[in-house]
Amino acid sequence: IGEFVQTVLQHIDANLRIDIRTGRFVLQLIRSVDATTAATRVASESNIIAFNSYSRSTWGDGANEIVLTYKDRNEDDAVVTVQNLAAVEAQGGVITRTITFNGIHEFELAAKVAQRELNLVSTPLSTVNFTMNREFWDLNIGDVFALKWPSLGIESAVYRITGLDTGTLMDGAVTVDAVEDIFNLPSASYVQVQDSVWSNPATEPKPIAVQVARVSPYWD
């Protein structure tokens, strides 16, 4: 049963967890979350005790082509292939990753899921690990939050929790593993807005210092 549940979660891109408040199972779909909503929970210097690690995957770490195998209506294997052409150009060749989704039976859906998986593996996302106070005690894997860390040039970026160690009550610290949320990449701000140091070189004309009066000749 556990393997079947994981297969379903992989197909629909979801996370099954236990709600710490109610004790019930919760099926959370990994979907776009408004950056304003994510900003209601902020991790910053005010509540982070230790910033343990920060890393960003490089172009060589991910694939730029997804070959997805699914089942057609006759239960025969069918294949759909999608590519990230910009990543192919940046990496100097095609790097393929093959996946199988036996629960898909339509080409249109297979193409959409393949593109979803391609976005995940071909985008260089950053990961963080930090220890903070118990302000995030009620969050769980799959939840999002905003990270502000000026020393890394992160003014505001949305991250999604991938691992959470609540520690002990006496310890009073929570260790968080998180990955940059791919849905909010366009809204992430890694540098603060800096005032321009450009100065206008144009100046008002000044009186001529040296003047000579003469009669204009015919040729002028």
Side-chain angles (χ1 to χ4, degrees):
I1 294 176
E3 292 180 357
F4 176 75
V5 170
Q6 288 301 320
T7 300
V8 174
L9 296 178
Q10 182 187 24
H11 278 63
I12 65 177
D13 194 16
N15 175 48
L16 184 65
R17 66 188 194 183
I18 297 178
D19 192 316
I20 194 172
R21 294 179 180 271
T22 64
R24 295 179 177 179
F25 283 103
V26 176
L27 180 66
Q28 181 192 36
L29 299 176
I30 307 301
R31 301 294 186 268
S32 176
V33 177
D34 185 77
T36 304
T37 302
T40 58
R41 308 302 293 269
V42 180
S44 63
E45 293 177 337
S46 63
N47 51 22
I48 293 180
I49 301 172
F51 203 100
N52 304 321
S53 66
Y54 172 87
S55 62
R56 180 177 294 278
S57 59
T58 62
W59 286 113
D61 297 330
N64 51 42
E65 179 184 74
I66 289 292
V67 178
L68 186 146
T69 302
Y70 66 100
K71 297 291 186 179
D72 61 18
R73 286 302 177 181
N74 297 320
E75 291 298 328
D76 296 327
D77 286 342
V79 175
V80 59
T81 302
V82 293
Q83 290 183 338
N84 183 334
L85 298 181
V88 172
E89 182 69 21
Q91 293 173 278
V94 176
I95 302 176
T96 304
R97 181 173 298 182
T98 59
I99 54 178
T100 301
F101 285 87
N102 290 326
I104 297 177
H105 296 275
E106 296 288 346
F107 171 80
E108 291 77 9
L109 181 58
K112 184 181 297 185
V113 172
Q115 188 62 51
R116 181 194 74 191
E117 297 297 314
L118 178 64
N119 291 339
L120 291 175
V121 300
S122 65
T123 305
L125 300 175
S126 63
T127 58
V128 294
N129 175 275
F130 55 84
T131 304
M132 65 181 306
N133 59 25
R134 299 192 65 82
E135 190 172 326
F136 280 12
W137 70 272
D138 58 337
L139 296 186
N140 209 328
I141 295 176
D143 289 330
V144 295
F145 63 92
L147 176 65
K148 295 184 178 181
W149 201 254
S151 61
L152 289 175
I154 301 176
E155 173 62 21
S156 179
V158 178
Y159 280 77
R160 193 176 294 268
I161 297 176
T162 58
L164 194 66
D165 183 1
T166 55
T168 64
L169 186 61
M170 297 302 295
D171 184 29
V174 174
T175 302
V176 177
D177 288 291
V179 63
E180 197 171 7
D181 185 41
I182 191 171
F183 299 107
N184 281 280
L185 280 180
S187 62
S189 176
Y190 288 93
V191 291
Q192 297 180 356
V193 178
Q194 180 180 356
D195 294 334
S196 174
V197 297
W198 178 82
S199 59
N200 192 348
T203 58
E204 294 295 330
K206 298 180 179 180
I208 299 176
V210 179
Q211 302 182 33
V212 176
R214 62 184 180 87
V215 177
S216 296
Y218 168 78
W219 297 111
D220 291 343

